[in-house]
């Protein structure tokens, strides 16, 4: 039987916009998602899981079921309704109360500053494509570091890669732009500069605690590892989603191999990038200051060579086989491989998490430690007898915990795991039908019900043994 260390964090993850509700309450400013969901999807974020009011219930459940860490994000527009300027004191008060409840319940808060929810006033003027918003983010971060001294673990951004991907490649996030690879890379770059500036300020001013960044790192494999063109497709896809932002995080620059791939992609698809000397000065200054890397891992992808036009179809409603992904000059994802996949066409491959951890160790040895900050199974839960018999979720998490144990045995410093999600929340471009939580939420009554996975996770957390 495989084990995890005694001081390992067994956490649950949430995000402000996906859980809080109260989108217009107590002075909170708007975000781009408010109207975008109304215009493009079949649901809104109101009231979501009503975490704004239900957090004492959720944290009591966390304590009862052995969850000793929780990922929480601060809604930037709840603190600064326009992203800058006047502070909303009711928002500040809410987060102080939330963090106090966490500590009361012995659940350590790991706090993220930005989880897909730039305030509308800043999102409307270009989001992180606009360099002015780099400074607005850094000023917001400075305020939070000073104000919330009770926080011991800070994350600047959640999933810089999927933000650029969702906003400018797939077009499933506001502003809904598709196939603009230059904007993808520019967004990645400017957010990494924002991260570096915030980390540098945190360290130079001696704030207590730790700070890092959370990257989504889906592992990319060639369909045929003996076909150089498939291998190249996997490498280029990896640059878009992983290597570009990892280089910025830990090298303080982009390696020649990374830039060769970026230049190839832009030669085929068009566009130019605005990289400035001062950007690389701050990236270089921050590259050794990250206390941890958060890895969000759900799936891997298999790539094959492709010469046609770009076309991406997002499977938002869980209709298996509804996905299509091919990028001109990069490659095509192959879904019909001998690997199980979810109804949303996410390929279930725990080995990919092990391989991704080993890549970080090998390519970025100045990493200090890793948390697996998100991992879980999106599922069409069946609510029966006031619970969910989610054996598939248990099996999914078990397999991923086992490869984490293997990675630790092989020398990786992995110190915690946060299941996505603590309780059911809404899933950005997939709605409320795609559930991940340990606790089932009746979105009509907001009542919580432990799933079978919650009882299983409690036993794992208490014993550190994976069974």
């Amino acid at each position: 039987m495989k084990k995890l260390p005694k001081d390992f964090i067994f956490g649950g993850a949430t995000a402000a916009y996906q859980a809080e509700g109260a989108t217009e309450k107590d002075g909170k400013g708007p975000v781009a998602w408010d109207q975008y969901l109304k215009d493009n999807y079949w649901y809104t974020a109101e009231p979501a899981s009503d975490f704004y009011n239900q957090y004492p219930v959720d944290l009591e459940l966390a304590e009862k079921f052995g969850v000793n860490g929780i990922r929480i994000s601060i809604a930037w527009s709840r603190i600064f309704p326009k992203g800058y300027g006047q502070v909303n004191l009711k928002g500040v008060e809410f987060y102080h109360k939330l963090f106090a409840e966490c500590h009361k319940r012995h659940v350590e808060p790991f706090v993220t500053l930005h989880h897909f929810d730039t305030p509308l006033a800043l999102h409307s003027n270009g989001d992180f494509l606009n360099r002015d918003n780099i400074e607005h983010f850094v000023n917001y971060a400075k305020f939070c570091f000073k104000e919330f001294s009770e926080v011991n673990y800070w994350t600047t951004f959640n999933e810089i890669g999927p933000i650029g991907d969702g906003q400018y490649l797939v077009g499933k996030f506001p502003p809904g732009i598709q196939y603009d690879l230059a904007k993808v890379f520019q967004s990645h770059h400017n957010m990494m500069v924002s991260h570096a500036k915030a980390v540098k300020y945190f360290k130079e001013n001696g704030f207590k605690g730790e700070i890092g960044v959370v990257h989504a790192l889906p592992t990319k494999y060639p369909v045929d590892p003996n076909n150089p063109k498939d291998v190249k497709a996997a490498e280029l896809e990896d640059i878009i989603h992983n290597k570009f932002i990892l280089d910025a995080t830990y090298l303080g620059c982009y390696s020649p191999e990374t830039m060769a791939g970026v230049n190839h992609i832009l030669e085929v698809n068009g566009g130019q990038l605005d990289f400035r000397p001062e950007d690389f000065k701050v990236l270089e200054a921050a590259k050794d200051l990250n206390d941890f890397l958060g890895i969000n891992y759900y799936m891997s992808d298999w790539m094959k060579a492709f010469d046609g036009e770009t076309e991406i179809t997002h499977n938002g409603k869980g209709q298996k086989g509804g996905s299509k992904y091919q990028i001109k000059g990069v490659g095509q994802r192959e879904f019909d491989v001998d690997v199980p996949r979810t109804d949303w066409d996410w390929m279930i491959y725990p080995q990919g998490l092990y391989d991704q951890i080993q890549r970080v160790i090998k390519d970025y040895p100045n990493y200090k430690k890793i948390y697996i900050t998100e991992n879980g199974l999106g599922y069409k839960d069946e609510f029966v007898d006031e619970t969910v018999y989610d054996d598939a979720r248990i099996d999914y998490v078990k397999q991923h915990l086992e490869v984490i144990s293997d990675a630790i045995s092989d020398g990786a410093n992995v110190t915690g795991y946060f299941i996505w999600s603590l309780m059911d929340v809404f899933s950005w471009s997939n709605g409320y039908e795609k559930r991940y939580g340990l606790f089932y939420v009746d979105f009509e009554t907001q009542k919580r019900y432990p799933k079978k996975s919650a009882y299983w996770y409690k036993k794992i957390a208490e014993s550190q043994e994976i069974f």
Side-chain angles (χ1 to χ4, degrees), residues 338-413:
D338 188 22
V339 172
R341 56 176 158 154
T342 73
D343 287 344
W344 285 264
D345 296 318
W346 289 21
M347 315 300 278
I348 301 173
Y349 193 65
Q351 181 65 31
L353 175 56
Y354 178 90
D355 291 347
Q356 198 62 254
I357 292 169
Q358 294 303 321
R359 184 262 277 277
V360 170
I361 294 171
K362 175 178 174 289
D363 292 353
Y364 308 101
N366 57 327
Y367 95 99
K368 295 187 175 92
K369 65 179 175 180
I370 292 169
Y371 293 102
I372 305 306
T373 37
E374 286 182 29
N375 174 252
L377 181 62
Y379 202 60
K380 295 174 183 175
D381 285 347
E382 293 185 24
F383 188 62
V384 180
D385 302 327
E386 295 195 337
T387 191
V388 176
Y389 298 99
D390 52 346
D391 293 279
R393 181 172 292 115
I394 291 170
D395 186 58
Y396 177 99
V397 175
K398 176 178 181 288
Q399 290 183 54
H400 286 82
L401 288 175
E402 286 175 341
V403 300
I404 292 167
S405 176
D406 291 341
I408 293 170
S409 296
D410 291 341
N413 187 20

XYZ file of all heavy atoms in Angstrom, residues 338-413:
638
model
N -5.996 4.762 -26.866
C -6.340 3.732 -25.889
C -6.181 4.257 -24.466
O -5.381 3.757 -23.669
C -5.469 2.491 -26.115
C -5.916 1.307 -25.254
O -7.088 1.309 -24.835
O -5.089 0.410 -25.010
N -6.935 5.305 -24.169
C -6.907 5.950 -22.861
C -8.346 6.343 -22.528
O -9.047 6.879 -23.386
C -6.004 7.214 -22.891
C -6.120 7.995 -21.587
C -4.559 6.839 -23.153
N -8.827 6.080 -21.320
C -10.191 6.492 -20.984
C -10.346 8.001 -21.002
O -9.371 8.736 -20.773
C -10.404 5.915 -19.577
C -9.040 5.695 -19.032
C -8.164 5.388 -20.202
N -11.543 8.461 -21.294
C -11.798 9.895 -21.291
C -13.165 10.184 -20.690
O -14.048 9.336 -20.673
C -11.692 10.494 -22.694
C -12.575 9.855 -23.738
C -12.482 10.575 -25.071
N -12.894 9.726 -26.176
C -13.380 10.178 -27.329
N -13.496 11.469 -27.536
N -13.718 9.343 -28.289
N -13.330 11.407 -20.201
C -14.591 11.811 -19.593
C -15.593 12.186 -20.674
O -15.268 12.246 -21.865
C -14.389 13.020 -18.669
O -14.158 14.192 -19.467
C -13.210 12.806 -17.726
N -16.815 12.477 -20.253
C -17.834 12.934 -21.205
C -17.452 14.263 -21.848
O -17.993 14.620 -22.893
C -19.187 13.084 -20.495
C -19.818 11.744 -20.159
O -19.384 10.715 -20.724
O -20.737 11.712 -19.316
N -16.539 14.961 -21.224
C -16.059 16.242 -21.771
C -14.780 16.049 -22.590
O -14.099 17.014 -22.903
C -15.835 17.246 -20.636
C -17.131 17.794 -20.108
C -17.739 18.970 -20.473
C -17.992 17.207 -19.130
N -18.917 19.121 -19.793
C -19.106 18.062 -18.956
C -17.946 16.032 -18.385
C -20.145 17.786 -18.070
C -18.985 15.758 -17.499
C -20.062 16.620 -17.354
N -14.441 14.816 -22.908
C -13.279 14.469 -23.733
C -11.957 14.827 -23.068
O -10.963 15.118 -23.746
C -13.370 15.125 -25.121
C -14.555 14.615 -25.923
O -14.807 13.395 -25.893
O -15.250 15.429 -26.562
N -11.917 14.796 -21.749
C -10.663 14.973 -21.025
C -10.054 13.589 -20.803
O -10.679 12.716 -20.209
C -10.909 15.666 -19.686
C -11.286 17.123 -19.829
C -11.802 17.748 -20.933
C -11.197 18.125 -18.818
N -12.031 19.069 -20.679
C -11.666 19.337 -19.384
C -10.775 18.119 -17.494
C -11.723 20.533 -18.670
C -10.824 19.312 -16.772
C -11.286 20.496 -17.353
N -8.839 13.420 -21.277
C -8.182 12.115 -21.269
C -7.632 11.809 -19.869
O -6.830 12.568 -19.316
C -7.056 12.087 -22.293
C -7.433 12.678 -23.662
S -8.790 11.819 -24.471
C -7.899 10.458 -25.206
N -8.064 10.689 -19.300
C -7.697 10.315 -17.936
C -6.394 9.514 -17.978
O -6.365 8.358 -18.394
C -8.814 9.495 -17.271
C -10.113 10.307 -17.236
C -8.396 9.068 -15.864
C -11.320 9.522 -16.755
N -5.305 10.141 -17.510
C -3.991 9.515 -17.657
C -3.101 9.951 -16.495
O -2.327 10.908 -16.596
C -3.368 9.919 -18.998
C -2.163 9.105 -19.389
C -2.266 7.743 -19.664
C -0.913 9.701 -19.501
C -1.160 6.994 -20.038
C 0.210 8.960 -19.887
C 0.076 7.616 -20.146
O 1.173 6.872 -20.523
N -3.191 9.271 -15.348
C -2.409 9.664 -14.168
C -0.905 9.734 -14.419
O -0.214 10.573 -13.823
C -2.762 8.592 -13.140
C -4.117 8.110 -13.550
C -4.115 8.160 -15.041
N -0.391 8.867 -15.289
C 1.040 8.876 -15.580
C 1.493 10.246 -16.068
O 2.641 10.652 -15.859
C 1.375 7.808 -16.628
C 2.849 7.717 -16.998
C 3.741 7.274 -15.846
O 3.301 6.508 -14.987
N 4.977 7.748 -15.812
N 0.579 10.975 -16.714
C 0.923 12.312 -17.189
C 1.281 13.258 -16.062
O 2.123 14.149 -16.234
N 0.666 13.089 -14.892
C 1.023 13.917 -13.745
C 2.423 13.575 -13.263
O 3.234 14.470 -12.982
C 0.004 13.720 -12.618
C 0.310 14.438 -11.299
C 0.501 15.936 -11.503
C -0.796 14.170 -10.269
N 2.726 12.293 -13.165
C 4.076 11.885 -12.784
C 5.106 12.462 -13.765
O 6.131 13.028 -13.358
C 4.175 10.361 -12.755
C 5.561 9.847 -12.414
C 5.928 9.604 -11.095
C 6.513 9.629 -13.416
C 7.195 9.149 -10.778
C 7.787 9.174 -13.107
C 8.123 8.940 -11.781
O 9.390 8.508 -11.474
N 4.826 12.326 -15.048
C 5.770 12.812 -16.061
C 5.949 14.325 -15.977
O 7.056 14.844 -16.176
C 5.284 12.422 -17.459
C 5.371 10.923 -17.712
O 6.029 10.212 -16.923
O 4.764 10.455 -18.699
N 4.874 15.031 -15.659
C 4.961 16.492 -15.566
C 5.794 16.911 -14.351
O 6.610 17.847 -14.429
C 3.552 17.079 -15.479
C 3.460 18.546 -15.813
C 3.879 18.875 -17.225
O 4.969 19.423 -17.432
N 3.052 18.574 -18.204
N 5.610 16.221 -13.233
C 6.422 16.507 -12.045
C 7.898 16.266 -12.342
O 8.768 17.084 -11.991
C 5.949 15.640 -10.852
C 4.551 16.055 -10.396
C 6.943 15.749 -9.689
C 3.912 15.087 -9.413
N 8.193 15.152 -13.014
C 9.581 14.838 -13.334
C 10.174 15.854 -14.298
O 11.369 16.179 -14.231
C 9.670 13.422 -13.910
C 9.322 12.323 -12.917
C 10.183 12.360 -11.665
O 11.382 12.619 -11.724
N 9.571 12.124 -10.518
N 9.357 16.370 -15.214
C 9.845 17.414 -16.124
C 10.243 18.675 -15.373
O 11.281 19.292 -15.661
C 8.762 17.733 -17.165
C 9.223 18.746 -18.222
C 8.774 20.172 -17.920
N 7.436 20.396 -18.359
C 7.087 20.715 -19.611
N 7.993 20.853 -20.545
N 5.830 20.909 -19.911
N 9.451 19.061 -14.395
C 9.788 20.236 -13.598
C 11.119 20.028 -12.885
O 12.004 20.896 -12.900
C 8.661 20.554 -12.592
C 9.107 21.615 -11.588
C 7.403 21.014 -13.316
N 11.282 18.861 -12.263
C 12.525 18.568 -11.542
C 13.733 18.629 -12.477
O 14.780 19.190 -12.146
C 12.438 17.179 -10.890
C 11.376 17.166 -9.801
C 13.778 16.758 -10.304
C 11.082 15.786 -9.258
N 13.570 18.047 -13.657
C 14.694 17.956 -14.602
C 15.016 19.310 -15.246
O 16.182 19.723 -15.304
C 14.352 16.940 -15.689
C 15.376 16.817 -16.814
C 14.957 15.745 -17.806
C 15.879 15.688 -19.016
N 15.711 16.865 -19.905
N 13.991 19.996 -15.728
C 14.208 21.212 -16.520
C 14.312 22.468 -15.672
O 14.888 23.468 -16.119
C 13.078 21.394 -17.541
C 13.091 20.325 -18.634
O 14.048 19.528 -18.662
O 12.146 20.287 -19.441
N 13.755 22.431 -14.463
C 13.721 23.626 -13.618
C 14.146 23.259 -12.193
O 13.351 23.293 -11.250
C 12.307 24.237 -13.632
C 11.798 24.471 -15.034
C 10.892 23.590 -15.627
C 12.240 25.558 -15.793
C 10.437 23.791 -16.920
C 11.793 25.769 -17.089
C 10.893 24.871 -17.645
O 10.450 25.073 -18.933
N 15.413 22.894 -12.026
C 15.871 22.395 -10.714
C 15.855 23.449 -9.613
O 16.046 23.099 -8.444
C 17.296 21.905 -11.014
C 17.708 22.643 -12.243
C 16.471 22.848 -13.051
N 15.614 24.711 -9.960
C 15.508 25.743 -8.925
C 14.101 25.831 -8.337
O 13.819 26.722 -7.532
C 15.938 27.112 -9.458
C 15.161 27.562 -10.680
O 14.745 26.746 -11.506
N 14.974 28.863 -10.843
N 13.223 24.910 -8.722
C 11.925 24.815 -8.023
C 12.214 24.427 -6.575
O 13.192 23.748 -6.280
C 11.025 23.766 -8.705
C 11.092 22.392 -8.084
C 10.124 21.962 -7.187
C 12.173 21.531 -8.352
C 10.201 20.703 -6.587
C 12.246 20.278 -7.761
C 11.263 19.868 -6.876
O 11.343 18.636 -6.280
N 11.345 24.826 -5.662
C 11.573 24.490 -4.253
C 10.648 23.371 -3.792
O 11.090 22.407 -3.179
C 11.406 25.729 -3.382
C 12.465 26.807 -3.664
C 12.380 27.936 -2.670
C 13.504 28.938 -2.887
N 13.148 30.022 -3.784
N 9.376 23.516 -4.045
C 8.437 22.447 -3.728
C 7.203 22.594 -4.596
O 6.971 23.641 -5.214
C 8.065 22.440 -2.241
C 7.307 23.644 -1.745
C 6.989 23.458 -0.268
C 6.341 24.701 0.318
N 6.016 24.553 1.746
N 6.436 21.536 -4.627
C 5.251 21.464 -5.482
C 4.034 21.119 -4.629
O 4.105 20.257 -3.752
C 5.436 20.388 -6.574
C 6.514 20.815 -7.588
C 4.119 20.094 -7.297
C 6.930 19.695 -8.530
N 2.959 21.814 -4.887
C 1.639 21.376 -4.443
C 0.847 20.979 -5.679
O 0.911 21.658 -6.704
C 0.878 22.497 -3.727
C 1.455 22.928 -2.403
C 2.201 24.095 -2.302
C 1.236 22.176 -1.258
C 2.730 24.505 -1.091
C 1.766 22.573 -0.031
C 2.507 23.739 0.042
O 3.042 24.137 1.243
N 0.101 19.891 -5.593
C -0.874 19.601 -6.638
C -2.122 20.380 -6.228
O -2.864 19.983 -5.329
C -1.156 18.089 -6.761
C 0.164 17.343 -6.967
C -2.122 17.830 -7.907
C 1.019 17.828 -8.121
N -2.317 21.518 -6.863
C -3.304 22.494 -6.394
C -4.697 22.267 -6.967
O -5.666 22.847 -6.455
C -2.821 23.915 -6.712
O -2.142 23.933 -7.978
C -1.856 24.408 -5.644
N -4.802 21.484 -8.034
C -6.109 21.044 -8.522
C -5.948 19.696 -9.212
O -5.017 19.493 -9.994
C -6.747 22.015 -9.522
C -7.297 23.289 -8.925
C -7.952 24.168 -9.979
O -8.465 23.637 -10.996
O -7.936 25.397 -9.796
N -6.890 18.803 -8.927
C -6.993 17.528 -9.618
C -8.324 16.932 -9.199
O -8.689 16.976 -8.029
C -5.835 16.596 -9.229
C -5.971 15.201 -9.812
O -6.252 14.252 -9.093
N -5.767 15.072 -11.110
N -9.067 16.421 -10.140
C -10.356 15.840 -9.796
C -11.110 15.427 -11.039
O -10.680 15.685 -12.171
N -12.254 14.803 -10.824
C -13.041 14.270 -11.930
C -14.371 14.998 -12.044
O -15.198 14.956 -11.127
C -13.299 12.774 -11.715
C -14.098 12.070 -12.820
C -13.358 12.122 -14.146
C -14.395 10.629 -12.432
N -14.561 15.682 -13.183
C -15.846 16.271 -13.509
C -16.805 15.181 -13.971
O -16.500 14.420 -14.888
N -17.976 15.110 -13.360
C -18.813 13.921 -13.428
C -20.274 14.353 -13.423
O -20.628 15.361 -12.817
C -18.504 13.103 -12.173
C -18.800 11.643 -12.167
C -18.207 10.780 -13.082
C -19.645 11.105 -11.209
C -18.450 9.417 -13.028
C -19.898 9.740 -11.144
C -19.296 8.892 -12.070
O -19.533 7.548 -12.012
N -21.113 13.588 -14.082
C -22.560 13.824 -14.022
C -23.104 13.027 -12.829
O -23.575 11.908 -12.957
C -23.221 13.393 -15.328
C -22.780 14.227 -16.529
C -23.348 13.678 -17.824
C -22.839 14.465 -19.031
N -23.275 13.890 -20.317
N -22.980 13.624 -11.654
C -23.334 12.927 -10.420
C -24.813 12.542 -10.391
O -25.677 13.329 -10.785
C -23.039 13.815 -9.207
C -21.568 13.921 -8.885
O -20.784 13.132 -9.427
O -21.197 14.806 -8.098
N -25.079 11.357 -9.860
C -26.451 10.916 -9.603
C -26.699 10.957 -8.108
O -26.035 10.260 -7.340
C -26.668 9.499 -10.132
C -26.609 9.402 -11.650
C -26.950 8.000 -12.145
O -27.650 7.260 -11.414
O -26.502 7.655 -13.245
N -27.638 11.799 -7.709
C -27.937 12.000 -6.295
C -28.975 10.967 -5.859
O -30.133 11.003 -6.274
C -28.451 13.423 -6.083
C -28.622 13.816 -4.644
C -27.536 13.852 -3.793
C -29.869 14.169 -4.146
C -27.675 14.227 -2.465
C -30.024 14.540 -2.822
C -28.931 14.569 -1.987
N -28.534 10.021 -5.019
C -29.378 8.907 -4.587
C -29.214 8.738 -3.074
O -28.082 8.736 -2.569
C -28.976 7.590 -5.293
C -29.865 6.450 -4.824
C -29.044 7.743 -6.803
N -30.331 8.594 -2.359
C -30.279 8.368 -0.909
C -29.493 9.468 -0.194
O -28.713 9.220 0.736
C -29.647 7.004 -0.579
C -30.400 5.847 -1.215
O -31.640 5.961 -1.351
O -29.744 4.854 -1.584
N -29.658 10.699 -0.664
C -29.001 11.871 -0.087
C -27.475 11.770 -0.123
O -26.774 12.255 0.775
C -29.487 12.148 1.341
C -30.964 12.530 1.398
C -31.368 13.156 2.715
O -30.668 12.923 3.724
O -32.378 13.891 2.720
N -26.960 11.133 -1.161
C -25.508 11.084 -1.368
C -25.237 10.812 -2.839
O -26.151 10.745 -3.664
C -24.839 10.020 -0.476
O -23.422 10.200 -0.532
C -25.204 8.615 -0.912
N -23.961 10.677 -3.181
C -23.538 10.307 -4.529
C -22.539 9.169 -4.388
O -21.547 9.285 -3.658
C -22.880 11.495 -5.263
C -22.366 11.060 -6.638
C -23.858 12.656 -5.410
N -22.810 8.065 -5.052
C -21.900 6.917 -5.022
C -20.896 7.083 -6.171
O -21.018 6.474 -7.226
C -22.699 5.620 -5.138
C -23.654 5.421 -3.980
C -25.002 5.732 -4.096
C -23.189 4.937 -2.754
C -25.879 5.571 -3.023
C -24.056 4.766 -1.674
C -25.394 5.096 -1.818
O -26.250 4.929 -0.751
N -19.911 7.934 -5.912
C -18.998 8.378 -6.975
C -17.712 7.554 -6.989
O -16.605 8.069 -6.813
C -18.689 9.874 -6.844
C -18.212 10.290 -5.456
O -18.362 9.503 -4.502
O -17.682 11.407 -5.338
N -17.870 6.254 -7.245
C -16.704 5.369 -7.274
C -15.713 5.753 -8.364
O -14.499 5.578 -8.194
C -17.161 3.923 -7.455
C -17.926 3.413 -6.241
O -17.281 3.022 -5.258
O -19.175 3.448 -6.272
N -16.220 6.265 -9.476
C -15.309 6.683 -10.550
C -14.410 7.825 -10.080
O -13.223 7.874 -10.419
C -16.110 7.109 -11.780
N -14.959 8.735 -9.293
C -14.145 9.835 -8.760
C -13.110 9.310 -7.778
O -11.941 9.737 -7.796
C -15.052 10.874 -8.101
C -14.303 12.079 -7.534
C -15.258 13.180 -7.065
N -15.940 13.795 -8.196
C -17.255 13.730 -8.423
N -18.035 13.059 -7.576
N -17.782 14.327 -9.471
N -13.510 8.412 -6.922
C -12.570 7.812 -5.966
C -11.428 7.137 -6.716
O -10.243 7.319 -6.374
C -13.294 6.802 -5.056
C -14.258 7.544 -4.117
C -12.302 5.975 -4.250
C -15.187 6.625 -3.344
N -11.748 6.383 -7.742
C -10.724 5.682 -8.518
C -9.777 6.661 -9.197
O -8.557 6.456 -9.213
C -11.396 4.778 -9.556
C -10.386 3.915 -10.312
O -9.656 3.147 -9.667
O -10.323 4.032 -11.557
N -10.339 7.737 -9.748
C -9.530 8.764 -10.419
C -8.538 9.389 -9.429
O -7.335 9.483 -9.700
C -10.459 9.830 -11.000
C -9.780 11.000 -11.666
C -9.635 11.051 -13.050
C -9.279 12.072 -10.924
C -9.021 12.131 -13.664
C -8.665 13.155 -11.518
C -8.541 13.175 -12.896
O -7.922 14.250 -13.505
N -9.034 9.827 -8.277
C -8.175 10.484 -7.297
C -7.146 9.503 -6.745
O -5.969 9.848 -6.565
C -9.026 11.107 -6.174
C -8.129 11.686 -5.079
C -9.929 12.202 -6.735
N -7.582 8.268 -6.484
C -6.666 7.250 -5.968
C -5.478 7.060 -6.911
O -4.318 7.031 -6.479
C -7.415 5.930 -5.794
C -6.548 4.754 -5.360
C -7.410 3.509 -5.166
C -6.584 2.307 -4.703
N -5.723 1.764 -5.765
N -5.745 6.924 -8.197
C -4.661 6.710 -9.159
C -3.698 7.897 -9.193
O -2.481 7.714 -9.338
C -5.245 6.481 -10.549
C -5.971 5.161 -10.722
C -6.459 4.980 -12.146
O -5.686 5.072 -13.096
N -7.751 4.751 -12.305
N -4.232 9.099 -9.067
C -3.354 10.273 -9.098
C -2.562 10.414 -7.800
O -1.383 10.812 -7.828
C -4.173 11.529 -9.410
C -4.599 11.633 -10.841
N -5.705 10.982 -11.325
C -4.031 12.269 -11.909
C -5.820 11.229 -12.623
N -4.814 11.999 -12.998
N -3.166 10.084 -6.667
C -2.403 10.087 -5.414
C -1.287 9.044 -5.450
O -0.193 9.269 -4.899
C -3.334 9.835 -4.228
C -4.282 10.971 -3.843
C -5.225 10.520 -2.736
C -3.519 12.221 -3.415
N -1.546 7.923 -6.095
C -0.513 6.885 -6.195
C 0.689 7.362 -6.992
O 1.840 7.106 -6.598
C -1.109 5.623 -6.814
C -2.013 4.851 -5.859
C -2.704 3.665 -6.502
O -2.791 3.623 -7.764
O -3.155 2.774 -5.766
N 0.468 8.074 -8.095
C 1.627 8.547 -8.871
C 2.330 9.691 -8.144
O 3.546 9.876 -8.305
C 1.256 8.939 -10.318
C 0.669 7.753 -11.067
C 0.336 10.139 -10.385
N 1.589 10.453 -7.329
C 2.241 11.465 -6.492
C 3.157 10.783 -5.483
O 4.305 11.215 -5.262
C 1.192 12.347 -5.791
C 0.436 13.210 -6.804
C 1.853 13.238 -4.733
C -0.810 13.876 -6.241
N 2.674 9.707 -4.870
C 3.506 8.935 -3.943
C 4.755 8.409 -4.642
O 5.868 8.465 -4.095
C 2.691 7.781 -3.362
O 3.480 6.962 -2.539
N 4.584 7.923 -5.878
C 5.729 7.437 -6.657
C 6.728 8.567 -6.915
O 7.947 8.375 -6.804
C 5.259 6.861 -7.992
C 4.471 5.574 -7.834
O 4.574 4.929 -6.775
O 3.745 5.215 -8.794
N 6.206 9.741 -7.277
C 7.090 10.874 -7.569
C 7.874 11.283 -6.329
O 9.074 11.596 -6.404
C 6.269 12.056 -8.102
N 7.219 11.272 -5.169
C 7.908 11.607 -3.914
C 9.005 10.574 -3.629
O 10.133 10.925 -3.257
C 6.903 11.688 -2.755
C 5.955 12.876 -2.958
C 7.632 11.806 -1.411
C 4.781 12.908 -1.995
N 8.673 9.305 -3.823
C 9.669 8.246 -3.618
C 10.863 8.409 -4.549
O 11.991 8.039 -4.200
C 9.028 6.873 -3.843
O 8.017 6.624 -2.899
N 10.616 8.995 -5.725
C 11.682 9.190 -6.703
C 12.353 10.550 -6.583
O 13.078 10.965 -7.487
C 11.117 9.008 -8.119
C 10.721 7.564 -8.395
O 11.198 6.669 -7.678
O 9.917 7.328 -9.320
N 12.098 11.253 -5.483
C 12.861 12.456 -5.172
C 12.151 13.778 -5.323
O 12.729 14.828 -5.038
N 10.891 13.780 -5.761
C 10.168 15.043 -5.920
C 9.703 15.564 -4.566
O 9.264 14.798 -3.716
C 8.969 14.849 -6.842
N 9.782 16.873 -4.378
C 9.308 17.492 -3.147
C 7.871 17.973 -3.360
O 7.623 19.132 -3.671
C 10.210 18.651 -2.739
C 9.842 19.204 -1.373
O 9.192 18.537 -0.576
N 10.234 20.437 -1.112
